[in-house]
Amino acid sequence: MYFLHKRCYRNAVKPVCEQKSLLPLNIQPQTEKCSFPVFFLFLVVEQVKHTPTCVLPLRCRKENLENIPALAENPIKNQIIEAFFDKRNQHGNEVGSFQEIGFEQFVMVMSHFRPPNLKTTKEEKQEMRKEKLRFLFNMHDTDGDGIITLQEYRKVVEELLSNSGAMDQDAAHEIADAAMLEVASTNVPQMSPEDHYEGITFQHFEQILKDLEMETRMFIRFLDVDTTTMHCGKATS
Amino acid sequence: MPSRTGAGSGRSLPEFGLLLLVIFVLLEGSLLPLGAASSTSKSCEEAKQGHTEVHNFTKKAFPVLGVDYGHIKNPFEISLWVLLACLMKLGFHLIPRLSSIVPESCLLIVVGLLVGGLIKLAREEVPPVLDSKFFFLYLLPPIILDAGYFLPIRPFMENLGTILMFAVIGTLWNAFFIGGLLYGICQISNSDLTAIGILPCLLFGSIISAVDPVAVLAVFEEIHINELLHILVFGESLLNDAVTVVLYHLFEEFSVDGSVTVLDGILGVISFLVVALGGVLFGAMYGFLAALTSRFTSHTRVIEPLFAFLYSYMAYLSAEVFHLSGIMALIACGAVMRPYIEANISHKSHTTIKYFLKMLSSVSETLIFIFLGVATVDGRHSWNWIFVTMSVVLCLVARVIGVVGLTFIINKFRIVKLTTKDQFIIAYGGLRGAIAFSLGFLLKEDHFHMRDMFLTAIITVIFFTVFVQGMTIKPLVELLAVKKKQEAKRSINEEIHTQFLDHLLTGIEDICGHYGHHHWKDKLNRFNKKYVKKFLIVSERSKEPQLIAFYHKMEMKQAIQLVESGGGSKLPSAVPSTVSMQNIQPKNPPATTKPAERVLPQLSKGREEEIRKILRSNLQRTRQRLHSYNRHTLVADPYEDGFSDLILKKQRMMAIDKKIKEMTNYLTVPAAAPDSPTMVRARLASGRNTDFIPAQQQKGNKKPSDPQSYNMKPVSGGVPTIQVDLASPQSPDSVRLLDELGEADGKEQEKDQGLTMKLPGGSSRPNKPGETENTREQQKLTRCLSDPGPSADEDEDEPFLP
């Protein structure tokens, strides 16, 4: 049973946030409570004893995330976990994947889930939308070549359907094929029979999802999380 | 004397009746006492009566023609009203441009005014058309059920907080603001208004404050506003019913008693909860019952739609029995039963429900607006300038303040903030309508001597909102460039990503150890899938994931569109834009160097799609013949069990079979023995024709075909071929059509597992070798395919695309 103290926030989270001038999610220095879930995770996954002084050195490996029980039934569990260890999601230009991530990387990934607010301008929204779409795109594009091939897309659909019991692969493939066809037909309407569509590029990806208001849908917010009632025992057991 | 209320709606009928009579007179001689009957203008019913009774004529004294209008009066007049409403609706859409300027609701009210005026001119007594009982029991439920059944659940739930805020707090605010200020104004003014107490004023406020779903629907459907605003205004109008009901009963009670205590206030709050939650509970209960019933209707498909209507109407009535919110009950019932019912009932029944609901609700809506006009003419009015203008002004002011104030609070919690434009549209879209009028109508004269004035004020407010706001909201929406609804249908990619996003967000929340909105939604979904669906949905369909269901639905829609749009003649023009892209995918695998065995099914995939489309559009002729409705097809049709995966594949199979048959017919394969209908049926039923179609060697046809030349006309040169690839490794019983393009002759088709049919090439070269190579089995196949005898039968059996 670990409880978090506000001191943790002051000592660890705030410096990181300020140093990187980044306000992931609702983590804002003045509303200290909001940041705890993220923070809290690192205690959970590392299963360390209550160490309020320093959190930064804590590292998280894939196994840590895989052991989260609530995640077990998520059909796209693997992709989610991959996303956290993907260097492309770190707002840098690196590619590849981490072996383990620290708090900073974690927050970087989580920053993709910021909601827009009333003050965000149109350009910022556009930027935000692009960023979110890029995150999704990276989740699909497993080999990182900038193209979602049919193979990769099929895998996405397959995983999406994977928790529905003994679902046949055919249906998944059929849907992925139809979806792919749709992408191709909306983006490259005229193609001679000899041409072929290699896969979804990011531009095409943006194009097909332009009706999906990603900037307003892809967000997570932490309402009042009462840190005194949250305890780690349940999650870690 | 019977009165013909619907002026001009059936002018030709009496004349026709008279003509009939004259003929009879000529035939039977002049013995008949027709004098009275033929002199006046009678409706056609009389003529019919005369027609039948003439045959019974035995004695002189027997009255050949009798008039008994009283006998049919009520249904006749109701039918006339409905007919009038429908004709009016029809008429508006025939007049060009009128419907684009003036909303239908306004026009209908005008028509009502005219009709009311005519009646008043004619006989000075207007039927009490907008009787509150009639309104609440018959006119309102269809509209609300329609709204509830087609309620977009997702946006509704996502914005539930905002909607409730507007519906509950907003309506309360409006009621008290309007009522209170009106009371103040009444006291200040030195006319007879001072006699009105605070409670009647509040009662009036509570009547007039509720946004009306009927009016909102009528106007908002025409302006195509974006989904968020639509659901906010519309949801508010639906959910404020509970508040209105409670406030209305509360104040009515108090006004009669004349005293309010704190306890009454507390009871009022409790009553609100009971009314709202009780309504929802009733609705949900009946919704589940409806879903459960629909589970067992697979043998009596014809009455399926009726269950949906009956249960929801029962929910409404049951809720009304206890003075609960019937509207909430209907909404809940519709929303709860829809997903399960849709999964259970046949596609045709579903279409029936859809059409019936739309039809009923649109007729009700038309009638309501017409009656509103008639009732305006009819009612006794006492026009009080101060009261009426103040109520209009206060309505507007209260609405604006309420919306702005509430948005200020709500925006603190919302992620998608409501902009100033949104607020304006929400405030401006607060239309009042017939519910307010009916509630006002319900007031008893003995308790409320100012009832007439209230009614006048209510009508004025309604007219003001419907006419002024309803007519200007469309230009304003254009002017402000408020985001419109995207007309585009949902694409499969969007569906995939919506679901992907759901899971992603749930996953992230889980990782963060934060049990938020998504987490609980996911839990609820799981529960629904695990228990509720199993209980309520016919077994094999309960497991179908949403995505697959969506895909099937979409595929079906596409097919129907194609069948409906693409006639045989239009084929070449309809296909090209799609055809070229179909080829994209087949090329995919070779380019990405996939395993060799994958090439085959993928190759066929795109081709299959294309050919299937052509097939469907070509099949239109036969299908149209089948559209003549046969009562028995509903029951006997084995393909009516929805469109599960298997059925879909079967249908594809059938379509291809048909096509092949057509082609073979075209080829004029000689000497088709008229046997083997059973075989055809058996094959059709079995869903796979591997047993019948053996390996077919195919060599001569290597010419790459242009897909666009693939039509029924003989094309010399390009000879397209279809290969029915029967044993694709991935899905053995699905049919793959494969175009043998260039790569096909490169890697010889060593598997030899496809039947290849050739289109008529006229006198083209490769045709002949293919023909001559027919093996014995092939002949058998062609025979049964091109058999003209059973094909007629088969057409009857075949389900047309629903």
Side-chain angles (χ1 to χ4, degrees):
Chain A
M1 190 92 73
Y2 312 114
F3 290 97
L4 293 170
H5 286 222
K6 287 200 176 172
R7 200 143 49 95
C8 302
Y9 177 82
R10 276 198 299 276
N11 291 347
V13 181
K14 210 167 158 191
V16 175
C17 293
E18 277 167 0
Q19 185 192 337
K20 300 284 163 191
S21 66
L22 130 135
L23 299 176
L25 305 163
N26 287 348
I27 302 185
Q28 290 161 1
Q30 65 270 23
T31 57
E32 301 188 349
K33 268 168 139 188
C34 300
S35 65
F36 281 108
V38 178
F39 195 5
F40 160 74
L41 162 91
F42 276 80
L43 293 176
V44 173
V45 292
E46 286 292 310
Q47 301 189 11
V48 291
K49 290 278 179 207
H50 179 45
T51 51
T53 45
C54 189
V55 183
L56 277 185
L58 298 181
R59 311 297 289 176
C60 171
R61 308 180 133 267
K62 282 182 188 174
E63 301 90 77
N64 302 134
L65 290 184
E66 273 160 15
N67 289 335
I68 296 177
L71 210 56
E73 287 187 51
N74 203 311
I76 56 168
K77 175 185 169 189
N78 292 333
Q79 281 165 300
I80 294 174
I81 292 173
E82 280 306 323
F84 276 100
F85 293 87
D86 196 331
K87 281 184 182 164
R88 286 174 296 174
N89 293 333
Q90 299 294 325
H91 295 283
N93 291 321
E94 289 174 84
V95 286
S97 64
F98 292 108
Q99 283 303 308
E100 50 179 26
I101 52 168
F103 180 68
E104 189 184 329
Q105 282 83 21
F106 183 82
V107 169
M108 280 291 199
V109 171
M110 292 300 285
S111 73
H112 289 274
F113 295 91
R114 279 174 304 177
N117 54 33
L118 210 51
K119 280 178 234 119
T120 14
T121 60
K122 222 167 196 171
E123 290 76 41
E124 280 172 332
K125 260 187 194 162
Q126 213 56 36
E127 200 51 44
M128 197 180 246
R129 174 187 167 77
K130 208 162 190 164
E131 195 184 277
K132 286 174 195 293
L133 279 175
R134 177 60 84 174
F135 184 83
L136 278 186
F137 186 83
N138 288 344
M139 282 182 85
H140 296 335
D141 181 21
T142 42
D143 58 359
D145 60 353
I147 286 175
I148 302 173
T149 57
L150 183 64
Q151 205 76 20
E152 284 165 340
Y153 209 33
R154 280 182 174 178
K155 201 157 175 307
V156 172
V157 179
E158 243 172 72
E159 295 217 353
L160 210 52
L161 293 173
S162 62
N163 67 342
S164 55
M167 207 44 237
D168 46 311
Q169 262 196 335
D170 286 346
H173 281 191
E174 217 170 290
I175 290 169
D177 290 357
M180 198 68 170
L181 205 67
E182 196 181 84
V183 182
S185 60
T186 44
N187 287 298
V188 202
Q190 294 305 326
M191 258 195 173
S192 69
E194 284 75 31
D195 293 340
H196 78 272
Y197 190 72
E198 288 171 18
I200 308 169
T201 59
F202 184 64
Q203 279 75 29
H204 293 175
F205 193 69
E206 266 187 303
Q207 188 61 29
I208 51 166
L209 295 182
K210 68 174 188 294
D211 290 337
L212 224 55
E213 287 164 332
M214 202 52 83
E215 69 273 17
T216 58
R217 295 182 88 160
M218 187 166 149
F219 68 84
I220 288 185
R221 63 171 166 182
F222 303 106
L223 291 172
D224 290 335
V225 181
D226 192 354
T227 47
T228 52
T229 57
M230 272 173 67
H231 55 84
C232 317
K234 196 173 158 197
T236 47
S237 60
Chain B
M1 279 313 284
S3 75
R4 309 202 53 248
T5 43
S9 62
R11 196 160 290 156
S12 63
L13 288 178
E15 286 165 17
F16 180 68
L18 283 179
L19 198 72
L20 265 182
L21 279 180
V22 170
I23 293 169
F24 270 107
V25 169
L26 289 177
L27 285 176
E28 302 281 329
S30 58
L31 287 168
L32 314 177
L34 272 172
S38 59
S39 63
T40 53
S41 69
K42 295 277 148 41
S43 58
C44 58
E45 264 73 14
E46 295 171 39
K48 271 183 195 150
Q49 268 181 328
H51 187 266
T52 49
E53 284 175 25
V54 161
H55 290 293
N56 297 336
F57 172 69
T58 45
K59 287 176 201 168
K60 253 184 206 171
F62 190 81
V64 172
L65 202 63
V67 181
D68 186 11
Y69 179 68
H71 181 58
I72 55 141
K73 182 166 177 286
N74 283 343
F76 186 74
E77 283 186 354
I78 290 171
S79 319
L80 262 179
W81 277 115
V82 175
L83 189 66
L84 173 77
C86 295
L87 285 178
M88 283 305 145
K89 210 178 171 73
L90 199 73
F92 294 144
H93 291 280
L94 287 180
I95 305 170
R97 287 204 297 150
L98 183 64
S99 53
S100 63
I101 302 168
V102 189
E104 214 182 77
S105 44
C106 300
L107 289 171
L108 290 171
I109 289 180
V110 172
V111 168
L113 288 173
L114 289 178
V115 173
L118 279 179
I119 298 173
K120 211 155 193 178
L121 280 180
R123 57 174 184 136
E124 319 212 333
E125 194 217 325
V126 186
V129 275
L130 203 58
D131 181 13
S132 292
K133 209 171 169 188
F134 182 64
F135 173 78
F136 281 115
L137 287 188
Y138 303 111
L139 287 179
L140 193 57
I143 300 178
I144 304 299
L145 177 61
D146 178 60
Y149 193 78
F150 296 103
L151 189 76
I153 305 246
R154 203 184 161 108
F156 183 80
M157 290 316 277
E158 275 168 8
N159 297 298
L160 189 64
T162 313
I163 293 171
L164 277 177
M165 193 89 167
F166 278 128
V168 178
I169 314 267
T171 311
L172 277 175
W173 154 258
N174 270 0
F176 283 100
F177 183 80
I178 296 173
L181 278 189
L182 261 182
Y183 176 69
I185 288 162
C186 288
Q187 294 304 308
I188 292 168
S189 72
N190 44 12
S191 59
D192 53 345
L193 287 179
T194 37
I196 302 173
I198 177 84
L199 285 172
C201 273
L202 286 176
L203 177 62
F204 177 78
S206 68
I207 291 174
I208 204 69
S209 61
V211 177
D212 186 71
V214 184
V216 165
L217 261 185
V219 168
F220 270 60
E221 264 180 10
E222 286 181 31
I223 60 173
H224 304 293
I225 199 91
N226 67 62
E227 206 176 33
L228 173 69
L229 285 181
H230 185 270
I231 199 68
L232 284 185
V233 179
F234 179 52
E236 180 201 340
S237 72
L238 288 176
L239 297 193
N240 65 20
D241 178 62
V243 181
T244 316
V245 167
V246 172
L247 279 183
Y248 180 82
H249 285 297
L250 217 63
F251 287 133
E252 198 187 17
E253 197 92 339
F254 295 161
S255 310
V256 175
D257 284 358
S259 66
V260 197
T261 59
V262 182
L263 183 70
D264 289 329
I266 297 167
L267 285 180
V269 173
I270 296 172
S271 156
F272 163 71
L273 290 176
V274 170
V275 164
L277 296 180
V280 171
L281 198 73
F282 263 111
M285 212 174 68
Y286 276 101
F288 277 117
L289 271 180
L292 190 63
T293 313
S294 74
R295 204 192 148 156
F296 304 104
T297 52
S298 55
H299 298 292
T300 42
R301 292 279 191 213
V302 256
I303 53 168
E304 263 172 356
L306 208 53
F307 283 119
F309 301 133
L310 285 179
Y311 275 115
S312 32
Y313 195 48
M314 293 287 283
Y316 181 79
L317 294 180
S318 314
E320 288 288 311
V321 167
F322 300 100
H323 280 296
L324 301 177
S325 166
I327 291 184
M328 300 273 262
L330 265 185
I331 300 282
C333 183
V336 165
M337 74 182 175
R338 186 181 182 194
Y340 306 112
I341 281 202
E342 253 178 34
N344 277 333
I345 65 176
S346 74
H347 195 254
K348 266 186 230 169
S349 303
H350 181 224
T351 314
T352 312
I353 290 183
K354 255 190 335 203
Y355 266 78
F356 233 86
L357 274 180
K358 291 283 171 214
M359 188 183 81
L360 283 180
S361 65
S362 115
V363 167
S364 294
E365 188 192 287
T366 315
L367 277 176
I368 285 174
F369 283 116
I370 289 186
F371 285 175
L372 206 58
V374 175
T376 307
V377 176
D378 170 44
R380 283 165 299 147
H381 296 291
S382 76
W383 184 271
N384 184 314
W385 272 105
I386 298 174
F387 193 82
V388 169
T389 42
M390 279 332 282
S391 39
V392 172
V393 171
L394 281 179
C395 264
L396 290 177
V397 171
R399 177 82 187 160
V400 171
I401 296 178
V403 168
V404 172
L406 283 178
T407 325
F408 181 74
I409 302 169
I410 293 166
N411 264 356
K412 288 203 188 307
F413 300 102
R414 281 185 69 89
I415 292 298
V416 191
K417 313 286 186 201
L418 295 172
T419 60
T420 322
K421 278 185 206 167
D422 295 339
Q423 292 173 34
F424 175 76
I425 295 294
I426 294 172
Y428 208 72
L431 307 177
R432 317 303 207 268
I435 292 185
F437 178 81
S438 299
L439 285 178
F441 200 83
L442 273 178
L443 292 178
K444 290 190 185 61
E445 187 81 53
D446 6 325
H447 298 304
F448 302 95
H449 55 92
M450 65 302 270
R451 173 175 181 262
D452 290 343
M453 191 179 70
F454 278 5
L455 270 180
T456 312
I458 291 171
I459 285 180
T460 317
V461 172
I462 293 173
F463 277 29
F464 181 82
T465 54
V466 170
F467 276 87
V468 178
Q469 289 176 224
M471 272 161 85
T472 49
I473 196 169
K474 199 170 181 182
L476 277 173
V477 165
E478 307 272 348
L479 200 73
L480 290 173
V482 180
K483 212 162 69 179
K484 296 270 197 120
K485 193 166 91 185
Q486 295 121 353
E487 288 301 323
K489 58 179 177 8
R490 262 173 103 67
S491 70
I492 180 102
N493 278 298
E494 282 172 24
E495 181 68 24
I496 289 176
H497 280 92
T498 309
Q499 296 212 6
F500 192 83
L501 212 57
D502 279 349
H503 288 304
L504 174 64
L505 294 180
T506 314
I508 301 281
E509 275 191 356
D510 287 342
I511 285 184
C512 295
H514 169 67
Y515 296 145
H517 172 204
H518 298 284
H519 177 84
W520 294 113
K521 206 165 86 182
D522 190 60
K523 275 260 152 62
L524 193 69
N525 270 342
R526 271 180 215 292
F527 175 78
N528 183 25
K529 198 181 282 167
K530 222 170 179 175
Y531 304 104
V532 187
K533 274 193 173 174
K534 227 171 236 162
F535 183 57
L536 292 179
I537 297 182
V538 184
S539 54
E540 74 264 25
R541 298 213 54 193
S542 64
K543 287 194 211 93
E544 195 174 49
Q546 205 188 342
L547 189 57
I548 291 183
F550 173 84
Y551 174 64
H552 286 163
K553 223 185 251 178
M554 200 188 69
E555 210 179 32
M556 212 53 155
K557 219 182 265 171
Q558 260 176 10
I560 292 168
Q561 271 171 6
L562 267 158
V563 167
E564 279 171 354
S565 66
S569 57
K570 276 204 305 198
L571 181 64
S573 65
V575 172
S577 63
T578 48
V579 165
S580 55
M581 26 168 150
Q582 308 290 351
N583 287 354
I584 297 160
Q585 218 188 346
K587 297 287 189 171
N588 212 349
T592 47
T593 59
K594 278 176 188 161
E597 82 263 356
R598 286 217 141 173
V599 169
L600 199 63
Q602 281 173 9
L603 254 181
S604 29
K605 179 65 203 165
R607 241 11 222 165
E608 177 200 347
E609 196 78 27
E610 169 202 342
I611 288 167
R612 212 162 62 213
K613 278 182 182 168
I614 300 173
L615 294 184
R616 279 177 185 158
S617 48
N618 259 0
L619 286 173
Q620 194 207 13
R621 204 173 26 81
T622 31
R623 299 234 190 273
Q624 266 180 351
R625 191 159 49 84
L626 286 169
H627 274 305
S628 64
Y629 195 81
N630 182 359
R631 192 163 59 90
H632 301 292
T633 49
L634 256 187
V635 187
D637 212 338
Y639 298 97
E640 269 303 313
D641 291 320
F643 31 94
S644 64
D645 205 5
L646 183 76
I647 300 287
L648 208 73
K649 279 179 180 162
K650 261 187 196 170
Q651 281 181 342
R652 265 181 233 161
M653 203 67 177
M654 311 252 294
I656 288 155
D657 277 351
K658 259 187 128 59
K659 184 66 188 172
I660 290 171
K661 190 169 63 193
E662 258 183 72
M663 281 159 49
T664 30
N665 274 340
Y666 199 90
L667 279 168
T668 61
V669 175
D675 61 356
S676 72
T678 45
M679 203 179 278
V680 175
R681 285 219 190 85
R683 185 170 44 76
L684 284 173
S686 75
R688 57 165 79 193
N689 43 9
T690 24
D691 316 330
F692 292 87
I693 304 180
Q696 169 64 25
Q697 199 74 18
Q698 209 273 327
K699 272 168 190 143
N701 274 337
K702 298 292 157 50
K703 229 169 191 174
S705 74
D706 178 10
Q708 301 189 20
S709 69
Y710 181 79
N711 53 16
M712 292 313 292
K713 302 226 160 55
V715 182
S716 56
V719 185
T721 57
I722 303 172
Q723 173 161 355
V724 184
D725 168 24
L726 292 153
S728 92
Q730 293 205 316
S731 56
D733 61 348
S734 76
V735 181
R736 308 287 186 190
L737 285 170
L738 172 61
D739 180 76
E740 295 221 315
L741 287 176
E743 67 261 29
D745 51 0
K747 37 178 125 64
E748 59 286 293
Q749 296 275 313
E750 59 279 287
K751 298 223 168 173
D752 291 337
Q753 55 198 177
L755 148 77
T756 312
M757 298 304 301
K758 281 153 290 293
L759 258 197
S763 61
S764 75
R765 170 188 47 82
N767 210 4
K768 287 302 164 194
E771 283 280 282
T772 47
E773 268 182 11
N774 278 348
T775 54
R776 192 184 57 80
E777 289 93 342
Q778 165 71 35
Q779 276 170 0
K780 190 164 103 192
L781 167 77
T782 359
R783 214 180 291 132
C784 62
L785 282 175
S786 63
D787 178 20
S791 70
D793 264 349
E794 193 182 305
D795 280 353
E796 295 299 327
D797 288 344
E798 187 171 23
F800 54 86
L801 272 174

